[in-house]
C-alpha cells in the first residue's frame, strides 16, 4: 500500500489549514470519568471560526482552482458550517460563493435565521438561494446544477460542492489526511468518538487511521439519521472513497460503528443529553461545543461509557469538529441561564 501522503498527492489541494490542529488531554474530565480523555481540536482550523469543514474544503477548493472556477456553489442547512466555511474559502482564493439554504429544522425562532453562520456568511459576501426540502439530497444537488448552468450562460465558471452520495467523496480526503495527522500526534488510542452526518468526516477519519496502522474502534455518533441508516450510508461512502483513492477498502463492515442514543429529537435539535454534554464540557474544561455536531458527539462518548462500549481506564480520542458560530443561533433553543447568583 502506498504512503498516505503519496495517495493524497494525486489530488489538487488548496492551503486552508496552516498547521496540525492541537491535541489536548482533558485532565478534569479524565479524572471524573476515569478514562484517559484526549480531544483533537479541529475547532481550531482557523478560517472564519474554524471547524472540520476546512479540511474537506482544501480538496474541493483545490479541484475548483484546477478547473479555473470563479464561483463555488454549495448546499446545506440554514445554519450550515460547511456553507459558511466555503464562503470564507472562496473569498480567500478570489472566488464568489453561492450558498443554498435547505429547510432541515422546523420550528426554529427568528434568531436561527439571522445569527450565527447566517450573519458570518453575509459578512463574507455570499449570495443565497433557498431550497424548501431538507431531506432531498438529489433535488438539492439538482438545484445547484440549474444555478450553475444559468451562471455558465452568463459567462461564469462554476464548481459545485455536492451533497448526495452519487458523487465522489472528495472532501473525505481531508479526513484521510486528518486521521494520519492524528496518528502521528497520538501514536495510538483504545477508541475514538467522532460525529457522523454526511459520512465524509467519519469515513475519511476511519480510512486515515486504518491506513496509518491504528486498529482501535472508531464510533460514529449519529447527528442526522438513525444508526442503521447511517451505517448503510458509511458503507457507500467508504466504498466510494476507496475507489477514488484507487486502493482496497482498509476496513470491513464490522468495523463501522454507529450510535444514535443522542440523536433525539433529530437533526439540528438539542435534546437533554446534548444540553448536558455541552454544559459539562464548558463548565469542566472551558471548551465550547456546538449543539448540532460536537455536543452530540460528546454526549455519545458519555453514552458509550455508560453502556460499557467504552470502559474505565481506556485512552479515548474525541474529535471536536467546531461549529461554534451556531451557538449564537441556538441560544433561545438551548435555554441556558447563569450558573447561579452569588
Amino acid at each position: 500500500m502506498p504512503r498516505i501522503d503519496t495517495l493524497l498527492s494525486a489530488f489538487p489541494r488548496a492551503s486552508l489549514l496552516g498547521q496540525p490542529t492541537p491535541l489536548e488531554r482533558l485532565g478534569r474530565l479524565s479524572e471524573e470519568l476515569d478514562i484517559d480523555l484526549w480531544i483533537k481540536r479541529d475547532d481550531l482550523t482557523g478560517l472564519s471560526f474554524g471547524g472540520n469543514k476546512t479540511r474537506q474544503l482544501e480538496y474541493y477548493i483545490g479541484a475548483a482552482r484546477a478547473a479555473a472556477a470563479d464561483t463555488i456553489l454549495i448546499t446545506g442547512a440554514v445554519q450550515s458550517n460547511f456553507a459558511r466555511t466555503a464562503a470564507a474559502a472562496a473569498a480567500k482564493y478570489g472566488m464568489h460563493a453561492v450558498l443554498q439554504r435547505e429547510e432541515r429544522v422546523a420550528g426554529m425562532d427568528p434568531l436561527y435565521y439571522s445569527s450565527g453562520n447566517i450573519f458570518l456568511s453575509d459578512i463574507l459576501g455570499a449570495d443565497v438561494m433557498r431550497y424548501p426540502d431538507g431531506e432531498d439530497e438529489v433535488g438539492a444537488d439538482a438545484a445547484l446544477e440549474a444555478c450553475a448552468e444559468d451562471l455558465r450562460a452568463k459567462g461564469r465558471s462554476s464548481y459545485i460542492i455536492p451533497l448526495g452520495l452519487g458523487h465522489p467523496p472528495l472532501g473525505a480526503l481531508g479526513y484521510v489526511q486528518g486521521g494520519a495527522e492524528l496518528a502521528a500526534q497520538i501514536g495510538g488510542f483504545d477508541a475514538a468518538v467522532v460525529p457522523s452526518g454526511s459520512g465524509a468526516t467519519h469515513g475519511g477519519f476511519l480510512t486515515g487511521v486504518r491506513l496509518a496502522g491504528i486498529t482501535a474502534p472508531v464510533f460514529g455518533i449519529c447527528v442526522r439519521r438513525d444508526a442503521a441508516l447511517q451505517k448503510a450510508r458509511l458503507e457507500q461512502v467508504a466504498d466510494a472513497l476507496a475507489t477514488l483513492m484507487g486502493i482496497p477498502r482498509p476496513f470491513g463492515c464490522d468495523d463501522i460503528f454507529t450510535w444514535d442514543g443522542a440523536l433525539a429529537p433529530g437533526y439540528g435539535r438539542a435534546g437533554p443529553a446534548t444540553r448536558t454534554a455541552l454544559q459539562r464540557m464548558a463548565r469542566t474544561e472551558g471548551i465550547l461545543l456546538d449543539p448540532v455536531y460536537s455536543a452530540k458527539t460528546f454526549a455519545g462518548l458519555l453514552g458509550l461509557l455508560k453502556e460499557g462500549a467504552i470502559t474505565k481506564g481506556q485512552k479515548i480520542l474525541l474529535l471536536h469538529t467546531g461549529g461554534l458560530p451556531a451557538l449564537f443561533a441556538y441560544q433561545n433553543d438551548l435555554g441556558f441561564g447563569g450558573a447561579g447568583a452569588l
Side-chain angles (χ1 to χ4, degrees):
M1 180 77 69
R3 288 168 49 93
I4 293 176
D5 54 359
T6 301
L7 291 169
L8 295 178
S9 67
F11 302 92
R13 180 180 175 189
S15 178
L16 299 173
L17 181 66
Q19 58 186 7
T21 56
L23 177 68
E24 301 177 11
R25 186 175 188 272
L26 300 182
R28 293 191 65 206
L29 280 171
S30 290
E31 184 176 354
E32 284 186 8
L33 300 174
D34 196 17
I35 59 177
D36 185 15
L37 182 57
W38 294 76
I39 187 168
K40 176 66 167 165
R41 297 292 304 273
D42 273 8
D43 57 317
L44 301 178
T45 55
L47 194 68
S48 73
F49 286 87
N52 66 320
K53 305 305 184 184
T54 304
R55 291 192 186 273
Q56 297 186 40
L57 284 162
E58 287 201 317
Y59 288 91
Y60 282 122
I61 297 297
R65 295 183 72 210
D70 57 30
T71 303
I72 300 295
L73 295 94
I74 188 170
T75 190
V78 170
Q79 280 292 332
S80 170
N81 298 297
F82 206 170
R84 176 257 305 169
T85 315
K92 182 177 178 66
Y93 280 99
M95 300 176 182
H96 190 64
V98 178
L99 316 182
Q100 179 171 259
R101 292 173 179 161
E102 305 168 32
E103 290 293 341
R104 293 186 190 173
V105 187
M108 298 301 286
D109 65 23
L111 190 64
Y112 180 80
Y113 293 91
S114 62
S115 186
N117 287 308
I118 295 287
F119 179 55
L120 296 180
S121 298
D122 289 346
I123 293 174
L124 290 163
D127 283 340
V128 175
M129 53 189 287
R130 302 190 182 279
Y131 193 75
D133 190 342
E135 297 299 330
D136 179 13
E137 291 186 347
V138 173
D141 281 342
L144 292 185
E145 292 281 0
C147 180
E149 185 64 31
D150 181 62
L151 290 172
R152 281 191 286 270
K154 298 175 181 176
R156 302 278 286 279
S157 176
S158 299
Y159 182 88
I160 294 172
I161 299 174
L163 176 63
L165 289 171
H167 306 274
L170 194 64
L173 296 172
Y175 266 96
V176 176
Q177 190 277 330
E181 175 184 300
L182 172 70
Q185 289 176 308
I186 200 171
F189 48 81
D190 294 309
V193 183
V194 306
S196 196
S198 72
T201 295
H202 182 182
F205 182 87
L206 180 55
T207 298
V209 296
R210 289 295 180 268
L211 291 175
I214 293 177
T215 59
V218 174
F219 294 100
I221 307 305
C222 301
V223 301
R224 189 170 181 188
R225 303 165 192 87
D226 68 33
L229 287 174
Q230 189 63 17
K231 180 164 183 172
R233 186 180 183 95
L234 260 293
E235 286 283 348
Q236 295 182 67
V237 171
D239 285 344
L241 179 57
T243 298
L244 179 65
M245 297 176 71
I247 60 171
R249 202 173 93 175
F251 54 87
C253 177
D254 291 343
D255 218 7
I256 300 175
F257 300 104
T258 53
W259 189 88
D260 60 9
L263 177 59
Y267 175 79
R269 302 306 297 258
T274 300
R275 288 188 178 92
T276 298
L278 193 156
Q279 179 174 288
R280 187 171 187 178
M281 180 65 77
R283 297 183 182 181
T284 307
E285 296 286 353
I287 295 175
L288 299 175
L289 305 175
D290 86 294
V292 182
Y293 294 94
S294 54
K296 284 189 176 181
T297 305
F298 183 43
L301 186 156
L302 297 174
L304 290 165
L305 184 61
K306 184 176 181 180
E307 292 177 2
I310 291 173
T311 58
K312 302 292 187 181
Q314 286 190 318
K315 185 176 185 179
I316 305 300
L317 185 281
L318 176 68
L319 179 62
H320 188 339
T321 52
L324 299 183
L327 275 170
F328 299 98
Y330 277 83
Q331 58 184 291
N332 292 333
D333 189 56
L334 290 169
F336 287 125
L342 291 176

